[in-house]
Amino acid sequence: MPQNSRKMNMVQAINLALKEEMQRDKDVIILGEDVGRDGGVFRITEGLLDQFGPERVVDTPLAESVIVGAAIGMAAYGLKPIAEIQFEGFIYPAVDQISNHAARIRSRSRGRYTGPLVIRTPYGAGIKAPEHHSESNEALFCHMPGLKVVMPSSPYYAKGLLLSSIRDPDPVIFLESTRLYRLVKEDVPEGEYTVPLEKARIVQEGKDVTVISWGFMLHRALEAVEGFDAEVIDLMTLNPYDEETILGSVKKTGRVVIVNEAPKVGSFASELAAAIAENAMLSLRAPIARIASYDVVLPLPKLEDHYMPTVERIRKALTDIMQY
Amino acid sequence: MPEKIIESFNVKRLDILDEKGNADESLMPSLTDDGIKRMYEVMVLARTFDQRALNLQREGRIGTYAPIQGQEASQIGSALALEKADWIFPSFRENGVYIAFGHPPHMILQYWSGDERGLITARDRNIFPVCIPVASHVPHAVGAAMAAKYRGDRIGVVAYFGDGGTSEGDFHEGLNFAGVFKLPVVFICQNNQWAISMPREKQTAAKTIAQKAYAYGFEGVQVDGNDIFAVYKATKDALDKAKQGNGPTLIECFTYRMLDHTTADDASRYRTKEEVEPWKEKDPILRLKLFMEKKGLWSEQYQEDVEAKAKAAVDEAEKKAESIAPPDPRDMFTNTYEKLSQRQQKEIRDF
Ligand SMILES: Cc1ncc(C[n+]2csc(CCOP(=O)(O)OP(=O)(O)O)c2C)c(N)n1
Ligand SMILES: [Mg+2]
């Protein structure tokens, strides 16, 4: 089915996914701040206003709560809204809508109404942005049953996962690493293909240690495993997540390193570590290691590099575990 | 039963100094010659600072920066109406306010180069840290005003935000509180006509921003935001009213963002040069200069001195900012809590 492939970065791949899906399905509409004329502050929606018009690419007033709240109403009515929140740090006015409504509408109405909407938002550190532009708060959204949490790690997967998210019958928050937007280029097919939600992927097979990561941190993990016989898993959907793939790998390798960009306490790495301890304790040959950012308020750019997991910190964890 | 009008409002607009430098003497606030010169000098300093900050950003010596060009009268006119004990709750585009209220310019550069320490205000000044999540600081100003009222302190609280900020729930909830509790707070909206790429007409269908105050039971006024006398007078009157226990005011400073939203933005994607052009004639500094010239307060020599002083101050700020040693990585652990947590005590050993 996919025809041509082109080398693209993640911005282009997400733009292509939006464009193709809007062509295919006229119920898909985009709303958010600066998504129209400006093409979004990261240019993700570039060109879409001209192609689809202001009824389908809606520049909204500056109000996150109603951007998401309106998307819920649209979705209940039968549309497939894609709400953009300009940065994850500005999503908090909408958290009431996400947690109390988007995630629960199916349950509250016993399936009479559903919320097939997508909330796209950039997250993460590494681009020396001002305050509130760099957090990685995925764990917060993983604590809202009813909401799916998706974090792509490359252009190809971003496109396939976004198409699945738009078509999914439940609400999805789609977290895009700002650091990744222009970091990696790879072949992305034009035309139809999807990557399933709720499935992890084994990026490389290995025997000695399982390394689990997602989003930008996957790239640091891949760098760090050089020289180790590591099996690397890209989680892709954090909630509901693919426990089978993880446990299968851990039972094989007996060792685990989880790399996540968020601060350690209450991180999603903690959920994975707990699930592994519960289900594969007897397969473990070393303690589970979580490599995370420090448990501090995310510092401004001068200290940003010291804050997030480095390749060296991951390598040290791998070395320690292998010598355990 | 006939329908009847049960409430109606008139929204005032205040203009004192026109583009030609003529002032309406009947509305002129009381200012000494030195006071007027001070306004001019601080505006020139703020513009010099702004331009330098943009250059430093281009050279990669500071991070993303939000310029204030065009908004000097709104910022400096309002800040100079404050007394030392008043509290300021700024957004992220208030560098002119910081300078006028006495925050050292080198520290402003330090902050925008990514160092939290640049926002530590002097013991005798209260400026809350730069607030980037739009309008989320409006409730803080309201709370500080509640506290001042409770304590019986005769101070005013000022919150600064943009036209875009008036779309957020926090703005409306904050104004509602202020009206209900009749608080000593002044809301200053710098309506610079743009919120990144969103023009003012798409932000609200209301004709003015000032009129939003009436929905919350208090007065709103629009002022020419490029007219430093009008901004100063409106702010001073609103602060006096607040301090006398007569409640809040919303001031809409009608101004213009002359440059890109920030150094990360490209305004040519969404607005034309033709739109910007007429605002050049409305320049707040030019207009005050024309006024001063007529009053014999301005000369070529004075101009040279003012510019030289501003340049020297900004040179000094740049030098000082760049001589500050970068923060120690361990600094990121301090001030999360009053004391390091058990976990942090372990983590900090990595450094
Ligand atoms: C809650 C929130 N949403 C989005 C942003 C991103 N953002 C930063 S400034 C801005 C526009 C603000 O416009 P306005 O309030 O008019 O202030 P101005 O920039 O014109 O000074 C936006 C959307 C933000 N900082 N906070
Ligand atoms: Mg504005």
Side-chain angles (χ1 to χ4, degrees):
Chain A
M1 296 195 286
Q3 307 92 25
N4 294 324
S5 281
R6 275 194 293 128
K7 282 246 182 283
M8 280 180 214
N9 64 26
M10 204 153 109
V11 170
Q12 296 164 315
I14 295 172
N15 178 270
L16 183 64
L18 293 170
K19 190 171 100 180
E20 288 178 356
E21 196 63 357
M22 289 180 85
Q23 276 164 341
R24 201 186 66 86
D25 182 353
K26 68 177 186 345
D27 284 338
V28 175
I29 81 159
I30 291 176
L31 69 163
E33 295 158 11
D34 306 291
V35 296
R37 183 53 60 218
D38 198 35
V41 295
F42 286 102
R43 310 291 177 245
I44 300 278
T45 51
E46 171 115 54
L48 300 182
L49 174 71
D50 287 339
Q51 189 170 351
F52 299 104
E55 281 81 31
R56 292 186 67 192
V57 182
V58 186
D59 265 326
T60 68
L62 210 176
E64 289 75 13
S65 178
V66 62
I67 290 171
V68 173
I72 293 169
M74 289 175 178
Y77 201 91
L79 298 185
K80 299 214 155 161
I82 303 171
E84 175 175 306
I85 298 295
Q86 203 161 77
F87 284 90
E88 196 214 24
F90 307 134
I91 206 167
Y92 296 99
V95 169
D96 181 28
Q97 293 295 340
I98 299 171
S99 180
N100 284 337
H101 296 293
R104 300 165 73 109
I105 185 64
R106 177 186 294 283
S107 169
R108 289 175 61 229
S109 69
R110 299 285 88 199
R112 172 70 176 80
Y113 295 106
T114 58
L117 60 112
V118 176
I119 302 162
R120 291 185 35 251
T121 189
Y123 82 92
I127 58 162
K128 303 263 193 277
E131 199 181 358
H132 307 291
H133 291 70
S134 308
E135 277 75 5
S136 186
N137 288 351
E138 65 273 18
L140 176 67
F141 300 103
C142 291
H143 222 214
M144 298 176 187
L147 179 70
K148 294 186 181 177
V149 182
V150 178
M151 296 177 78
S153 63
S154 82
Y156 175 89
Y157 289 96
K159 182 182 171 194
L161 287 165
L162 183 55
L163 290 179
S164 297
S165 300
I166 300 169
R167 295 175 194 178
D168 197 87
D170 284 304
V172 174
I173 184 164
F174 194 84
L175 297 163
E176 303 163 2
S177 158
T178 54
R179 184 77 178 85
L180 271 183
Y181 271 149
R182 294 187 165 84
L183 188 73
V184 193
K185 275 198 168 190
E186 68 184 357
D187 280 329
V188 177
E190 284 174 8
E192 174 78 23
Y193 75 94
T194 56
V195 174
L197 304 188
E198 303 178 49
K199 282 267 171 277
R201 84 183 155 106
I202 295 180
V203 184
Q204 67 173 54
E205 296 198 5
K207 290 199 303 292
D208 287 344
V209 54
T210 299
V211 177
I212 309 167
S213 195
W214 52 91
F216 171 51
M217 279 299 127
L218 180 77
H219 297 267
R220 294 234 160 131
L222 282 168
E223 240 185 277
V225 297
E226 230 157 273
F228 294 89
D229 192 356
E231 181 141 299
V232 179
I233 297 178
D234 179 2
L235 197 56
M236 301 200 294
T237 302
L238 275 70
N239 200 23
Y241 70 95
D242 184 358
E243 214 171 342
E244 258 173 45
T245 297
I246 290 171
L247 295 177
S249 176
V250 172
K251 283 177 183 162
K252 183 172 85 178
T253 63
R255 298 182 186 88
V256 192
V257 175
I258 308 163
V259 186
N260 98 172
E261 193 176 318
K264 193 185 260 183
V265 173
S267 61
F268 199 69
S270 308
E271 160 59 28
L272 296 179
I276 292 165
E278 268 174 358
N279 296 291
M281 180 76 137
L282 298 180
S283 311
L284 291 176
R285 286 188 267 173
I288 301 164
R290 287 174 294 159
I291 305 303
S293 289
Y294 296 108
D295 291 290
V296 301
V297 175
L298 202 150
L300 290 186
K302 289 239 154 136
L303 293 181
E304 187 181 83
D305 292 339
H306 296 283
Y307 164 79
M308 57 203 298
T310 55
V311 172
E312 297 74 64
R313 275 174 66 202
I314 304 167
R315 287 190 73 81
K316 183 171 180 310
L318 285 164
T319 309
D320 289 351
I321 274 194
M322 291 311 299
Q323 287 168 0
Y324 185 81
Chain B
M1 294 282 245
E3 283 180 358
K4 49 193 173 192
I5 307 287
I6 57 163
E7 182 76 294
S8 62
F9 309 102
N10 293 306
V11 183
K12 273 194 231 152
R13 153 108 184 184
L14 180 65
D15 291 274
I16 299 177
L17 181 63
D18 72 14
E19 289 165 37
K20 305 254 152 26
N22 300 310
D24 182 336
E25 297 294 338
S26 70
L27 292 171
M28 233 352 234
S30 91
L31 282 165
T32 60
D33 287 353
D34 280 348
I36 292 170
K37 281 165 120 175
R38 170 126 192 271
M39 285 177 160
Y40 188 70
E41 288 157 26
V42 180
M43 282 204 288
V44 171
L45 174 61
R47 182 162 297 177
T48 310
F49 175 89
D50 205 46
Q51 268 155 5
R52 182 71 57 89
L54 288 169
N55 290 342
L56 291 173
Q57 192 282 334
R58 263 182 231 119
E59 293 166 14
R61 289 155 72 187
I62 65 169
T64 306
Y65 177 78
I68 66 162
Q69 190 175 317
Q71 299 179 218
E72 290 90 350
S74 296
Q75 299 204 358
I76 286 132
S78 55
L80 290 181
L82 295 168
E83 292 177 295
K84 233 174 156 183
D86 296 335
W87 281 58
I88 297 178
F89 289 81
S91 80
F92 50 84
R93 199 189 296 286
E94 264 73 74
N95 297 313
V97 173
Y98 271 92
I99 289 172
F101 205 55
H103 194 69
H106 76 270
M107 292 179 73
I108 307 175
L109 290 176
Q110 185 186 3
Y111 172 74
W112 290 105
S113 66
D115 183 341
E116 288 84 351
R117 295 172 300 176
L119 289 187
I120 303 171
T121 44
R123 278 274 153 227
D124 63 348
R125 291 286 196 288
N126 283 297
I127 314 180
F128 226 46
V130 160
C131 181
I132 293 180
V134 168
S136 59
H137 58 306
V138 172
H140 311 155
V142 166
M146 285 175 94
K149 185 172 176 177
Y150 169 72
R151 287 262 179 90
D153 295 336
R154 258 178 81 92
I155 65 137
V157 176
V158 176
Y160 286 93
F161 47 86
D163 42 307
T166 67
S167 294
E168 288 282 5
D170 278 345
F171 164 82
H172 295 275
E173 296 176 33
L175 264 69
N176 189 44
F177 255 55
V180 167
F181 297 116
K182 220 174 178 198
L183 299 175
V185 57
V186 181
F187 300 105
I188 299 186
C189 177
Q190 289 174 77
N191 170 9
N192 62 7
Q193 314 303 331
W194 290 92
I196 310 187
S197 71
M198 281 295 275
R200 199 331 249 128
E201 318 79 77
K202 288 194 182 170
Q203 200 63 247
T204 169
K207 187 163 178 204
T208 69
I209 284 171
Q211 73 199 62
K212 292 177 189 281
Y214 292 96
Y216 302 110
F218 58 91
E219 195 191 356
V221 54
Q222 187 183 80
V223 307
D224 179 345
N226 288 15
D227 165 356
I228 195 161
F229 296 147
V231 175
Y232 177 83
K233 179 175 163 51
T235 312
K236 191 132 195 62
D237 289 352
L239 280 166
D240 288 347
K241 169 181 138 188
K243 290 172 192 179
Q244 282 154 13
N246 294 323
T249 309
L250 170 62
I251 300 174
E252 173 186 0
C253 297
F254 197 87
T255 181
Y256 197 77
R257 197 194 82 208
M258 297 300 289
L259 304 176
D260 292 336
H261 168 70
T262 65
T263 49
D265 176 49
D266 173 9
S268 71
R269 294 174 65 89
Y270 52 78
R271 73 179 189 190
T272 60
K273 283 207 197 74
E274 290 69 54
E275 184 194 306
V276 182
E277 208 49 43
W279 283 93
K280 291 188 179 154
E281 283 157 35
K282 297 183 202 286
D283 187 76
I285 298 181
L286 177 65
R287 172 182 313 202
L288 184 58
K289 180 191 129 180
L290 294 173
F291 172 85
M292 288 166 68
E293 204 172 358
K294 286 179 204 191
K295 297 275 162 191
L297 296 174
W298 184 93
S299 65
E300 297 284 351
Q301 185 58 49
Y302 171 73
Q303 181 69 21
E304 270 174 38
D305 292 349
V306 171
E307 281 175 14
K309 243 175 72 189
K311 183 177 176 297
V314 173
D315 286 346
E316 167 80 10
E318 178 188 317
K319 228 171 66 202
K320 253 184 154 165
E322 296 202 326
S323 68
I324 296 168
D328 186 302
R330 280 168 298 200
D331 285 0
M332 72 178 155
F333 290 89
T334 60
N335 288 306
T336 313
Y337 304 102
E338 190 196 3
K339 293 195 210 87
L340 292 186
S341 66
Q342 289 182 22
R343 172 64 62 78
Q344 288 178 319
Q345 287 175 29
K346 269 203 240 166
E347 290 176 341
I348 205 168
R349 283 186 222 136
D350 283 0
F351 295 94

